[in-house]
Amino acid sequence: MKRTRDISGQGGAMTMAATTDSTASAPASTSASQTTSPPLYLAEGLLAVHKPLTWTSNDVVAYVRGILTRDARDRGYKEGGDNGGGGGNNNRGRRGGGRRKKQMMKVGHGGTLDPLASGVLVLGVGKGTTMLQSYLQGDKCYSAACELGYETDTLDAEGKLVRTESWNHVESIEAVGEKIVPKFTGKIKQVPPLYSAIRIDGKRLYEIARKDPTGKEAEDVEIPEREVEIHGLEVGAVLEEGVIRSGVVDGPTYREKAREIEDAAAAAAVSAAAALAETASNTEAKDGENKEGEGGTGDEGGRDKKRRRRNNKRNNNKNDKKNPFDEKTVPSILPDHGDLELPRFALAVRCGGGTYIRSLVRDIGYELGTVATMTGLVRTKQGPFVLEDALRREDWSANEIYSAIRRGGEKHGTKVE
């Protein structure tokens, strides 16, 4: 994404006005209100927001950018020159469509959270975006819900079941901790998941996986092993209340509900295909009658080609699997259901940048002589920002966002002066 140059002022709460180039040639009698524009930003720096379940990290960025863009315009900020273009309709929703435009408002995030994960997402606003790289590589803390006995292609609850193994030989959650904590603490080797944003030969892995319904191309992809560092690892039988309030997917219920939705969608697709075939048959019969009576129009082949293109487009779109739930309907663990027992257990991880918790859980399963899947994940800390610092979805407004940047600056030194 191309970034435009920031023209806002600096200092304090970032209220210094930016002066347009036309000021120099303006008459001396022109008032200050006519020659100066309100600043694009009221504060620049970092803040932590709470990423809801089912939202992508880019959904959050686009939504927050839209809030701040509309606020700047409401305050009278005028786009001009290279600053024009961004902040229009593409910023009004979570998932904008159409061609990308140049954004006047700079907002970015400091480390992706998967759609089925919730918790701390660090955002940079304005010049704060230049500070995000250290958060990609910095330490993070996670709480995960895990389940033994099965593995999915995505290594989380959203994926397709690819393997099952008995877990009955695992005696207790305490035994899990005794075996895996020494093994997986410190610097370890890890193979990232196939469904990840890592690039192989110029393609992101998740793009290869989603565009390959047969799985053959994905199986041939060699994902390089990488070294990551686990600073701390705890296995337990309880998910903390704050973690549950953040949003933890209920794996068993999620799979059951998703299966029901998929079965209903498959049945509807069969009915739609039958109706389409019947319509096509009737059309062909009618075309045949016209051809016999009028000698034909000569465009039957063209109609067939268009029909095939439409069908191919529908089939390609099926490969781009979308989550069947939104943040309100996704099955989640309830506050009074935080106690877990085998085959489920809780995992608390403190790790360095680049660590995939899904891969860690997969490898824990292998070490235990079975398989395992991460069913829920909450990022509880990123850099100095903890879950309690994260601005909740219901509080996302321009005033609250700028206040959070100022608070972060005072507490962590993350506001740009």
Side-chain angles (χ1 to χ4, degrees):
M1 181 183 294
K2 294 182 179 178
R3 300 294 188 185
T4 58
R5 186 178 299 277
D6 171 46
I7 64 168
S8 66
Q10 299 181 14
M14 308 307 292
T15 57
M16 184 180 292
T19 305
T20 63
D21 293 337
S22 61
T23 304
S25 58
S29 60
T30 303
S31 66
S33 62
Q34 292 175 310
T35 59
T36 59
S37 170
L40 176 58
Y41 306 98
L42 295 181
E44 297 181 61
L46 302 179
L47 75 152
V49 299
H50 176 265
K51 190 195 83 65
L53 289 174
T54 74
W55 288 50
T56 69
S57 299
N58 286 333
D59 287 340
V60 176
V61 168
Y63 197 95
V64 169
R65 183 191 292 121
I67 291 172
L68 298 183
T69 297
R70 292 191 291 276
D71 171 73
R73 287 176 173 165
D74 290 345
R75 289 187 285 103
Y77 175 80
K78 303 295 183 183
E79 302 175 41
D82 292 337
N83 286 320
N89 290 336
N90 283 354
N91 290 324
R92 297 193 72 84
R94 286 172 51 194
R95 297 170 174 86
R99 184 176 300 174
R100 281 187 178 179
K101 296 182 179 180
K102 190 183 295 183
Q103 303 290 351
M104 70 170 184
M105 181 69 66
K106 293 196 290 187
V107 181
H109 67 75
T112 300
L113 271 177
D114 293 332
L116 290 189
S118 69
V120 178
L121 183 67
V122 174
L123 300 184
V125 174
K127 294 176 183 176
T129 56
T130 63
M131 305 167 66
L132 291 173
Q133 186 60 35
S134 62
Y135 284 82
L136 290 169
Q137 302 301 325
D139 291 353
K140 305 172 182 70
C141 293
Y142 297 91
S143 286
C146 315
E147 188 168 353
L148 300 174
Y150 72 94
E151 182 179 317
T152 69
D153 56 353
T154 59
L155 304 183
D156 63 12
E158 190 175 15
K160 179 176 65 177
L161 188 68
V162 294
R163 185 178 173 187
T164 59
E165 296 285 349
S166 172
W167 56 270
N168 294 329
H169 58 281
V170 180
E171 297 177 356
S172 65
I173 291 178
E174 291 77 11
V176 172
E178 291 172 1
K179 184 164 187 177
I180 66 104
V181 168
K183 175 75 175 181
F184 291 96
T185 302
K187 293 183 178 180
I188 63 172
K189 297 290 186 178
Q190 182 182 85
V191 176
L194 176 60
Y195 282 81
S196 63
I198 294 173
R199 290 185 183 273
I200 301 291
D201 296 331
K203 293 182 180 179
R204 294 195 184 277
L205 286 174
Y206 67 77
E207 293 174 345
I208 297 174
R210 289 174 181 168
K211 294 296 182 182
D212 179 27
T214 65
K216 293 180 180 178
E217 182 182 353
E219 288 177 0
D220 294 336
V221 175
E222 186 173 343
I223 305 174
E225 195 176 54
R226 57 166 60 181
E227 184 177 80
V228 298
E229 187 165 8
I230 308 297
H231 304 299
L233 191 63
E234 295 180 12
V235 177
V238 178
L239 288 170
E240 295 179 1
E241 184 178 346
V243 169
I244 295 176
R245 283 201 309 269
S246 175
V248 183
V249 171
D250 183 339
T253 305
Y254 183 98
R255 294 195 306 280
E256 179 183 348
K257 297 293 184 183
R259 203 160 37 238
E260 292 174 359
I261 293 172
E262 289 174 359
D263 290 345
V270 170
S271 299
L276 184 63
E278 183 178 357
T279 301
S281 177
N282 293 337
T283 302
E284 289 173 2
K286 186 175 181 180
D287 287 346
E289 292 174 1
N290 291 338
K291 187 174 181 180
E292 290 178 5
E294 303 175 9
T297 61
D299 65 349
E300 289 83 0
R303 283 196 295 269
D304 287 343
K305 289 180 180 178
K306 289 180 180 178
R307 191 178 298 119
R308 285 195 296 270
R309 282 198 295 268
R310 285 196 300 269
N311 290 339
N312 288 337
K313 187 174 182 180
R314 290 190 187 100
N315 290 335
N316 288 335
N317 289 340
K318 290 177 184 177
N319 296 334
D320 295 328
K321 184 178 179 181
K322 295 182 179 179
N323 194 294
F325 305 103
D326 60 27
E327 61 185 295
K328 295 181 179 179
T329 61
V330 61
S332 304
I333 294 177
L334 300 176
D336 57 345
H337 288 69
D339 293 339
L340 306 178
E341 58 183 28
L342 289 178
R344 304 169 75 190
F345 62 93
L347 192 67
V349 185
R350 184 167 59 88
C351 59
T355 305
Y356 280 91
I357 307 302
R358 285 179 289 152
S359 292
L360 177 63
V361 174
R362 174 201 61 200
D363 295 342
I364 286 173
Y366 295 163
E367 181 67 19
L368 294 171
T370 181
V371 290
T373 291
M374 185 196 79
T375 57
L377 182 69
V378 176
R379 183 188 283 161
T380 58
K381 188 174 185 289
Q382 184 175 10
F385 295 99
V386 296
L387 200 55
E388 290 74 17
D389 293 330
L391 200 63
R392 304 286 297 198
R393 165 71 182 85
E394 57 269 22
D395 296 324
W396 291 359
S397 68
N399 286 339
E400 290 292 342
I401 290 167
Y402 285 130
S403 294
I405 292 174
R406 297 185 188 106
R407 287 196 302 271
E410 294 169 359
K411 187 176 180 180
H412 308 302
T414 53
K415 185 168 83 63
V416 178
E417 298 293 347

